[in-house]
Amino acid sequence: MPIVRILLILVIIATAYYLRRRSVPPEASPAAVSDIQPGPIRHSRLSADLVARIQKFEAVVAEVYPQTHEKWLEGFQRDIHPEAEIAIWEAIATAYQKFTEKRSLSLAAKNEAFGLLLVRSSRDTPTTLAGLKLKMLTQAEAEELLGLYSAAPQPIQYEMR
């Protein structure tokens, strides 16, 4: 699973841990965020079609999410449904490319745009925009960017072991 998705999972788990600690008796012992580990390799290899799709968006987001091709492949090999995860990344890359190709943005602004798309991939647009504290993009730019993301939100799934 790509590192950004892992970081998003960590945030979700930390939030769940906090909420659970508020309502669970002190003798209960929820898992520590530091105990989170990547899942096992579930697919020994990906089809040539999936690899080609990965290579296309890999190049689009390389500036803001530099990963080796091997790391990308390994991340998707760990996914239960790699094709669904690849579709999410294709939607992120498409929106990112459409947004950035018509403007001259600093790397910091590109990173902020990319981060917004990552959040949007797991939430709807109004939720993503709610309470947004932008540093590089304007509110109008953020709204335009998120309007370019066409996929339905896919909340991050994780399993406790």
Side-chain angles (χ1 to χ4, degrees):
M1 184 178 317
I3 192 72
V4 174
R5 301 273 301 170
I6 291 171
L7 291 174
L8 287 172
I9 290 170
L10 291 175
V11 169
I12 291 169
I13 291 171
T15 302
Y17 174 77
Y18 169 76
L19 294 173
R20 184 172 176 195
R21 286 296 278 180
R22 288 185 10 196
S23 62
V24 173
E27 64 274 0
S29 178
V33 172
S34 61
D35 292 338
I36 297 172
Q37 299 292 321
I41 297 289
R42 298 170 192 272
H43 308 278
S44 59
R45 61 186 299 271
L46 300 172
S47 71
D49 175 60
L50 292 180
V51 172
R53 289 170 60 188
I54 293 165
Q55 287 174 316
K56 285 180 186 174
F57 66 74
E58 220 179 300
V60 173
V61 299
E63 184 177 34
V64 291
Y65 192 61
Q67 291 289 314
T68 65
H69 181 64
E70 292 71 28
K71 284 286 186 192
W72 279 105
L73 294 178
E74 180 186 321
F76 291 115
Q77 288 172 305
R78 292 180 188 282
D79 288 323
I80 295 173
H81 304 290
E83 188 163 0
E85 186 72 17
I86 289 167
I88 292 168
W89 279 95
E90 288 171 327
I92 289 170
T94 298
Y96 177 81
Q97 187 171 39
K98 285 179 182 177
F99 183 76
T100 59
E101 72 187 1
K102 58 183 176 179
R103 356 180 106 70
S104 178
L105 297 170
S106 67
L107 182 57
K110 290 178 180 179
N111 277 310
E112 187 169 71
F114 178 69
L116 283 172
L117 290 168
L118 286 174
V119 173
R120 171 58 184 84
S121 72
S122 65
R123 301 170 152 186
D124 62 18
T125 296
T127 305
T128 302
L129 289 170
L132 196 58
K133 291 182 176 44
L134 298 166
K135 293 181 180 176
M136 306 304 297
L137 302 175
T138 66
Q139 183 74 22
E141 287 173 323
E143 289 172 8
E144 178 186 346
L145 170 64
L146 297 181
L148 296 170
Y149 186 85
S150 61
Q154 299 295 319
I156 297 169
Q157 303 285 318
Y158 66 95
E159 55 185 50
M160 299 291 286
R161 295 181 193 228

